[in-house]
Amino acid sequence: AQKITQTQPGMFVQEKEAVTLDCTYDTSDQSYGLFWYKQPSSGEMIFLIYQGSYDEQNATEGRYSLNFQKARKSANLVISASQLGDSAMYFCAMRLDSNYQLIWGAGTKLIIKP
Amino acid sequence: EAEVAQSPRYKITEKSQAVAFWCDPISGHATLYWYRQILGQGPELLVQFQDESVVDDSQLPKDRFSAERLKGVDSTLKIQPAELGDSAMYLCASSTSGGAYEQYFGPGTRLTVT
């Protein structure tokens, strides 16, 4: 079954510390993509970072990096030097290349403490 | 920077009334998605369009929900009659290349049914 699991419902992190948000996925497909989105309290869904299943290097976008461990089927998001504005819900999603639809995790609520 | 537009941002309606949401995707994006997101959960795909054609509406409650994208550009999602359980955030997203790359989301419409 195709599934995304985010095991951390909520996290508190001190400002300026690094934070890792966990994501594991389950699929029998060989070709897929993994995404992380940020959703602030205002509601819009903001694309952060993407990793393709055939990409050998971990994706990075500014302070965001994706720790992709294919054998373990994990795609953790790492935020370096966290900021107060990083407080939000974070969703991991998997795109199936058979239909290009996204399967979403339940999300992790991240709160950055000053 | 191009954005996905949605209106209204907020809607309060009484049960059994009709309600409609509008979405204008990023120019040139052929693929358009409507999602429903219940508080505390990840988004759930309702319908996917490729140009003016429905690609997937398997999760759309067709007895009360309808969606159209007549000219393959903007789209309307309608609920008639609304029920209390329809209270949620309704998100529209668009993408290029049939969804092979990231989806860009609008600000959403927060619906409250009383």
Side-chain angles (χ1 to χ4, degrees), chain B residues 82-105:
Chain B
E83 296 180 352
L84 295 177
D86 296 331
S87 294
M89 175 75 90
Y90 290 82
L91 294 165
C92 178
S94 69
S95 178
T96 60
S97 304
Y101 301 104
E102 62 268 26
Q103 297 179 19
Y104 292 91
F105 284 78

Side-chain angles (χ1 to χ4, degrees), chain A residues 38-69:
Chain A
K38 172 184 179 182
Q39 188 176 40
S41 57
S42 53
E44 75 273 27
M45 198 72 80
I46 302 166
F47 165 72
L48 295 178
I49 196 166
Y50 166 78
Q51 179 90 35
S53 59
Y54 294 112
D55 294 339
E56 294 188 354
Q57 293 211 341
N58 287 341
T60 61
E61 290 285 349
R63 294 186 300 113
Y64 304 107
S65 60
L66 198 152
N67 184 1
F68 182 46
Q69 298 188 39

Side-chain angles (χ1 to χ4, degrees), chain A residues 35 37 39 41-47 50 89 91 95 97 99-102 104-107, chain B residues 9 33 35 37 40-43 45 48 56 89 91 97-100 102-103 105-107 110:
Chain A
F35 298 81
Y37 283 85
Q39 188 176 40
S41 57
S42 53
E44 75 273 27
M45 198 72 80
I46 302 166
F47 165 72
Y50 166 78
M89 283 290 290
F91 290 94
R95 181 203 66 223
D97 287 352
N99 60 15
Y100 288 156
Q101 291 182 2
L102 291 181
W104 295 81
Chain B
R9 292 292 307 276
Y33 309 82
Y35 291 92
Q37 185 181 23
Q41 298 182 16
L45 179 68
Q48 177 183 351
D56 187 342
M89 175 75 90
L91 294 165
S97 304
E102 62 268 26
Q103 297 179 19
F105 284 78
R110 198 178 297 271

